[in-house]
Amino acid sequence: AVIATNQVDLVCLPQLEATVALRVADDATLAATLRGLGYSVREGLAGAAAGEILVANKYTADLQTLVQQGARLLLITDAATAAAPDAVNLPMGGIAPREGTSWQGDWATSFAWVRKQGPLATLPGSPILEMEWSPIMPDSVLLSHQPWIQREHSWAGLAVGWVHKVASLLMVMPYGRGQMATTTFKLNTNTLATNAVARTLFAGILALLKE
């Protein structure tokens, strides 16, 4: 006799209220998705208000100036976007692709983690990222020129083998009079519209910028 069994893995996450005012700099489709999730969203950088959190895919000179003057920015980026002609260097270091590098790895030779504290405490699972994170796992990593930046400001990261080649997937740090969160997690129109982990992580990063 053949006995068929079905197994369903569920991830339960709290329903988060979208109480933060956002200003999306460079992605109209993302702005529409965030409005659909309940966020108050304006577009473009002209007239940015002090209470808004800026959201962008590409770090430009205009964004750099606004953050230095006191703005809060969530930058959702990758190596390809960071190499665009009008992009400027990130304050914490650089971005590298995972493909073809030591960080390409797989679940046996590398591991990724998230700091499950404060606004990120409600994320699913243990601090080690497992299969529920696979839809939003990044194709790029954040590199820091100074080890202390990685140590003190990284909220999620990736390491190879016996904790070698440590890189960040989410950094939150002050810059000038402002504050900047930079992530390579795939928090895009598709994942935010369909994936509960993406929405919870997005809301958690916004909360980190409010602290």
Side-chain angles (χ1 to χ4, degrees):
V2 176
I3 301 176
T5 60
N6 294 319
Q7 179 176 336
V8 177
D9 294 326
L10 297 178
V11 175
C12 298
L13 295 169
Q15 182 68 39
L16 301 175
E17 294 185 11
T19 58
V20 184
L22 305 177
R23 181 173 287 270
V24 177
D26 53 14
D27 191 333
T29 305
L30 177 60
T33 298
L34 293 172
R35 288 191 190 98
L37 296 175
Y39 288 97
S40 172
V41 181
R42 295 184 180 182
E43 295 182 54
L45 297 180
E52 297 172 325
I53 292 179
L54 307 177
V55 180
N57 299 134
K58 182 167 53 179
Y59 190 55
T60 63
D62 289 340
L63 284 169
Q64 179 174 261
T65 298
L66 288 171
V67 175
Q68 289 175 333
Q69 292 174 347
R72 295 169 295 167
L73 169 65
L74 167 51
L75 181 68
I76 305 166
T77 191
D78 57 29
T81 304
D86 57 341
V88 298
N89 293 333
L90 297 174
M92 78 288 291
I95 301 181
R98 293 182 63 192
E99 185 176 1
T101 72
S102 300
W103 297 288
Q104 179 170 322
D106 55 36
W107 294 105
T109 61
S110 66
F111 68 92
W113 56 270
V114 64
R115 192 192 305 179
K116 293 190 63 178
Q117 300 173 5
L120 304 189
T122 58
L123 288 165
S126 71
I128 302 300
L129 306 191
E130 299 183 2
M131 294 309 297
E132 62 266 26
W133 288 79
S134 59
I136 66 170
M137 281 302 295
D139 295 324
S140 303
V141 296
L142 301 169
L143 306 177
S144 174
H145 300 314
Q146 301 294 333
W148 67 267
I149 295 179
Q150 190 88 258
R151 182 176 63 252
E152 296 183 16
H153 297 290
S154 183
W155 280 79
L158 185 148
V160 179
W162 293 98
V163 199
H164 297 297
K165 297 284 187 179
V166 177
S168 183
L169 306 178
L170 168 63
M171 282 192 182
V172 183
M173 60 183 296
Y175 183 50
R177 295 202 299 263
Q179 194 175 19
M180 185 171 172
T182 307
T183 186
T184 54
F185 280 109
K186 295 177 181 176
L187 302 180
N188 52 45
T189 295
N190 179 59
T191 60
L192 288 169
T194 62
N195 187 276
V197 176
R199 291 195 294 269
T200 303
L201 178 60
F202 183 86
I205 297 172
L206 296 179
L208 288 173
L209 287 171
K210 292 176 63 180
E211 290 188 341

